[in-house]
Amino acid sequence: MASPTTDPLLLFRQSIRTSSRIVPVASAESNDEVALSQATNLVFSDEGKRVVLPVDVQSRFMSSEGNLIDLRSIYFAWVNRDITIPEYNAAAEKLNEELAGGKGVHKFPFVERLNLIAWLEGAGEDTEYIKPLVGGDAGKGEEGGKVEMVGDDGGVKKERRGKGTLDPRLAQIYEGERRMGDRNSVLRGIKPTDFSHIRKLAAQFMTRKPTGGSGDIRSSTNISNNPSLALNQKPARRPDPIILLSPSASSLLRMSNAKAFLEGGRYTPPDHSTPPTMLAVSRIIKDMDPNRPIRFILVEGPENFRPEYWNRVVAVFTTGQTWQFKSYKWTNPVELFKHVQGVYLGWRGEQPPESVRAFGHKVLACSVEKWRDPGQPGAEQSRWRDREVVESIWKAIETNMRAKGWRKDAAPTSI
């Protein structure tokens, strides 16, 4: 069993450092591993000794809401350290449903979880979420310099090993000490924040100053006439519009054949090789820029999107499967296609799925001739219609772009 001075967090960290197993068990006397939902204790191996701690014992880790986190939540976060935040939250909800008696694991926000895992792996000694051990040197907690235990009443019992005891007045000063956070918590708070828009505001202050030479008369004149214009400032570059393809395996248009179809006007079936994560296709839109083609970026998912990227999306290809939109800004397809042009590509002679028709009139349903082996007689004679289908798709996209405010040198700030 655990000694009165055993600190759960230090014991957990020591077990990770020595690669010792941490086993959830159904009782303090058992050594058989069980599911966390059925466990009442955790068994540690501390220098060859068997140490047992209850899963509901509180640790020194304090959440941003001011609550001490139990050992069950710490163990659950550690064993699920390699999964994404959505997967972690889903697993936590499932475990909470399995736990009886109103018990449940704490769902760590991103920054809390990051700090906990880094501390357990030994990446650092200081974190704003872990209450310090009182007395002695803070960095020697694992060597037995000081111990902080959580009592049954939620209070903190302070003890000190070695010579002497901690002065009560000094302990009171430590309790009133304000812990300084790291750069993530100070700059970003609980959730990560995107500061990319600050670059646009700072751009006008970061351009080169005039050299003051006598030969730079034109630049000096421009600045004197309009001081707000920066010297040699280049016109703002219009961002590339984005087209989202369907990641479904049943989609007729994938990353492997989209460029040949949208740029070359010829349909070929997608292959099974590893596709690129991003493609670029070019198209001349005479109403916007008759002299220079516009580059369109093709991707299959918005996983790497910044919030402002959604203003650049001009078309979404769909097969009618609603799971495609789970990670989109608008998860409801009817709402999505109020903002973005939709495109469904199917085989000629087959009706679009009922779900596509339910999405609304902003989804263009197109059909291409069914693919036949080029070695068969007459296989190439029907492929001339592919370009006609491609032109109808581009026409719908261009019409939507003009309506949303796309211009030669500007893109819409909101769609």
Side-chain angles (χ1 to χ4, degrees):
M1 294 294 291
S3 66
T5 56
T6 302
D7 180 72
L9 276 183
L10 291 182
L11 184 59
F12 209 116
R13 192 184 195 189
Q14 176 71 12
S15 299
I16 294 172
R17 187 175 65 180
T18 59
S19 301
S20 301
R21 288 193 65 198
I22 305 173
V23 182
V25 294
S27 65
E29 295 75 20
S30 174
N31 288 321
D32 297 330
E33 184 173 357
V34 298
L36 188 58
S37 59
Q38 303 172 359
T40 60
N41 296 271
L42 291 179
V43 177
F44 299 82
S45 298
D46 184 16
E47 299 179 352
K49 298 180 181 179
R50 183 175 183 271
V51 181
V52 182
L53 291 178
V55 293
D56 54 358
V57 67
Q58 292 178 323
S59 69
R60 290 183 290 116
F61 192 97
M62 180 172 288
S63 67
S64 55
E65 292 83 9
N67 301 320
L68 294 175
I69 306 303
D70 58 17
L71 192 57
R72 181 193 286 113
S73 302
I74 300 292
Y75 176 81
F76 181 76
W78 170 253
V79 297
N80 292 285
R81 62 191 179 277
D82 294 326
I83 64 177
T84 63
I85 287 293
E87 293 173 336
Y88 166 77
N89 291 334
E93 292 177 1
K94 181 180 179 181
L95 177 60
N96 289 340
E97 292 175 358
E98 297 173 354
L99 290 170
K103 300 178 181 179
V105 294
H106 172 71
K107 290 192 289 187
F108 290 91
F110 175 77
V111 176
E112 286 185 17
R113 183 180 177 214
L114 186 66
N115 276 266
L116 173 65
I117 301 304
W119 188 88
L120 290 176
E121 291 178 339
E125 294 293 336
D126 296 327
T127 172
E128 62 173 320
Y129 297 103
I130 297 180
K131 293 174 64 66
L133 292 169
V134 180
D137 296 330
K140 296 181 180 179
E142 297 183 16
E143 310 300 331
K146 59 183 183 326
V147 176
E148 182 181 59
M149 282 298 297
V150 180
D152 296 334
D153 57 352
V156 178
K157 301 177 182 178
K158 304 176 182 64
E159 299 182 9
R160 177 172 178 167
R161 298 178 185 174
K163 290 179 71 175
T165 58
L166 183 64
D167 190 321
R169 290 174 298 176
L170 186 58
Q172 185 178 6
I173 293 174
Y174 283 157
E175 288 179 355
E177 182 182 22
R178 179 181 177 184
R179 297 290 297 171
M180 300 299 293
D182 56 14
R183 63 177 185 177
N184 288 328
S185 59
V186 172
L187 294 178
R188 300 183 181 275
I190 298 176
K191 297 181 179 179
T193 306
D194 184 9
F195 290 101
S196 59
H197 65 283
I198 300 299
R199 297 192 186 100
K200 299 178 182 178
L201 301 177
Q204 56 182 323
F205 303 107
M206 299 177 66
T207 52
R208 292 184 302 171
K209 295 182 179 180
T211 58
S214 58
D216 198 9
I217 300 176
R218 182 182 63 179
S219 299
S220 302
T221 305
N222 291 338
I223 293 178
S224 62
N225 292 337
N226 190 351
S228 64
L229 293 178
L231 181 64
N232 295 333
Q233 184 176 4
K234 296 181 179 179
R237 179 180 176 273
R238 184 200 63 240
D240 297 328
I242 298 173
I243 296 177
L244 282 168
L245 302 180
S246 172
S248 172
S250 62
S251 176
L252 300 187
L253 200 66
R254 300 295 300 275
M255 296 293 285
S256 58
N257 64 342
K259 186 177 181 68
F261 182 66
L262 295 177
E263 208 171 55
R266 175 180 170 79
Y267 180 80
T268 55
D271 57 39
H272 299 287
S273 60
T274 303
T277 58
M278 184 180 70
L279 282 176
V281 298
S282 299
R283 170 79 176 182
I284 291 181
I285 303 180
K286 295 181 179 180
D287 292 346
M288 297 183 191
D289 194 344
N291 301 317
R292 185 178 58 179
I294 296 178
R295 188 176 72 160
F296 292 79
I297 303 299
L298 273 60
V299 293
E300 283 190 344
E303 289 78 13
N304 298 321
F305 270 28
R306 296 179 181 175
E308 64 269 19
Y309 284 7
W310 282 104
N311 297 327
R312 296 163 51 185
V313 177
V314 296
V316 172
F317 282 77
T318 180
T319 59
Q321 297 165 299
T322 56
W323 60 261
Q324 174 186 349
F325 315 119
K326 285 186 177 180
S327 58
Y328 282 25
K329 179 179 180 179
W330 300 282
T331 56
N332 185 338
V334 177
E335 180 67 19
L336 168 68
F337 294 119
K338 289 181 180 178
H339 300 272
V340 182
Q341 176 67 48
V343 181
Y344 167 79
L345 187 66
W347 296 123
R348 188 177 299 275
E350 297 181 1
Q351 289 292 330
E354 181 63 31
S355 57
V356 173
R357 295 196 293 269
F359 290 165
H361 68 281
K362 286 297 294 293
V363 179
L364 175 67
C366 301
S367 304
V368 294
E369 295 290 338
K370 291 187 177 181
W371 175 257
R372 292 193 295 172
D373 187 352
Q376 296 180 359
E380 296 295 323
Q381 295 180 3
S382 59
R383 297 265 64 93
W384 64 271
R385 293 185 177 181
D386 293 346
R387 181 169 293 278
E388 180 182 355
V389 175
V390 171
E391 290 301 321
S392 65
I393 294 174
W394 279 119
K395 182 178 180 181
I397 294 175
E398 294 168 11
T399 301
N400 181 70
M401 290 178 65
R402 287 192 296 268
K404 295 298 182 182
W406 285 88
R407 300 293 183 267
K408 178 179 179 179
D409 55 356
T413 57
S414 176
I415 60 171

